[in-house]
Amino acid sequence: LLPSARELSEDFFSAFARAKMIHEDCKVLLRTSHQRAGLSIMEAMAALQESAYERLYRWTQNACRGLNSEMPEHPALLCRAFSMLRDRPVLLQYCMKDLADARRNVASRAFIDALTRGGPGGVPKPIELFSHDAVRYTSDMLAWLHQCVASERELLSFLLAPPPAPDAPIARRRIIDIKLLP
């Protein structure tokens, strides 16, 4: 959970989960004669968690801004980051705004390219070539928008899917993930 490293890894998420578990376990100490130790440990874990949330927020913000290609990869760490930020709705909301801004820019650029340049290698042809035929022109634009919305929905479904239960078998996790997608 050290704030010096720029990139997050599975170790960060494991340490973060461990700190949360220790914080929760200290509640038991508060009910016993070890209240001072429990409070001390809880304060230390709370400080670590706040530092970790800040680091997680910054990393997620940068990762969302980096999703600037038409076909972004679905990084598993980003999905986990969104899952963990659910405990901090304000930070999650800021990250969602950054994600929306980045994806809006990608979609705008891609739409302009589809209108003026067409696809890679000229296939499909630029939509503007059919501007003389209103029905075809409008249909092509609507088809492009339909495809774009479906792709963005799939990306959001992946990034914001609830995490599978830790005790669920791997095969069951995949079934749960598939059911979340339309």
Side-chain angles (χ1 to χ4, degrees):
L1 297 179
L2 297 175
S4 61
R6 292 256 184 229
E7 287 298 315
L8 296 186
S9 67
E10 286 296 325
D11 293 338
F12 172 84
F13 291 105
S14 296
F16 193 93
R18 182 76 176 131
K20 284 176 88 171
M21 192 168 56
I22 291 170
H23 188 269
E24 289 298 316
D25 290 346
C26 284
K27 291 179 181 177
V28 174
L29 287 175
L30 294 178
R31 289 186 228 131
T32 67
S33 60
H34 303 289
Q35 291 179 352
R36 185 178 295 163
L39 281 174
S40 174
I41 294 170
M42 280 183 87
E43 286 176 9
M45 290 300 111
L48 273 175
Q49 284 180 347
E50 286 306 313
S51 164
Y53 274 118
E54 180 65 26
R55 182 173 168 211
L56 181 65
Y57 165 67
R58 296 286 178 219
W59 181 86
T60 306
Q61 215 177 17
N62 289 332
C64 287
R65 291 175 184 161
L67 290 175
N68 55 9
S69 67
E70 282 186 60
M71 302 291 267
E73 294 179 17
H74 301 305
L77 290 179
L78 186 56
C79 186
R80 286 194 68 188
F82 272 111
S83 177
M84 294 190 87
L85 284 172
R86 287 185 180 146
D87 292 340
R88 298 289 194 271
V90 172
L91 298 179
L92 178 63
Q93 198 68 24
Y94 286 136
C95 289
M96 293 296 298
K97 183 184 178 319
D98 289 332
L99 177 64
D101 290 343
R103 299 308 301 161
R104 181 179 48 243
N105 290 336
V106 168
S108 296
R109 274 186 280 129
F111 185 65
I112 290 169
D113 286 347
L115 283 173
T116 58
R117 295 183 190 160
V123 178
K125 292 182 179 180
I127 296 172
E128 287 288 318
L129 289 179
F130 304 103
S131 62
H132 62 279
D133 182 359
V135 173
R136 169 86 189 262
Y137 186 59
T138 305
S139 296
D140 286 353
M141 283 193 284
L142 290 174
W144 187 92
L145 288 171
H146 174 74
Q147 179 184 358
C148 180
V149 167
S151 297
E152 294 303 311
R153 185 173 191 277
E154 182 181 340
L155 175 66
L156 283 174
S157 293
F158 175 80
L159 289 176
L160 302 177
D167 56 344
I170 301 285
R172 174 111 171 96
R173 289 182 192 172
R174 288 191 185 126
I175 290 170
I176 291 170
D177 290 342
I178 290 170
K179 285 183 180 177
L180 291 174
L181 297 175

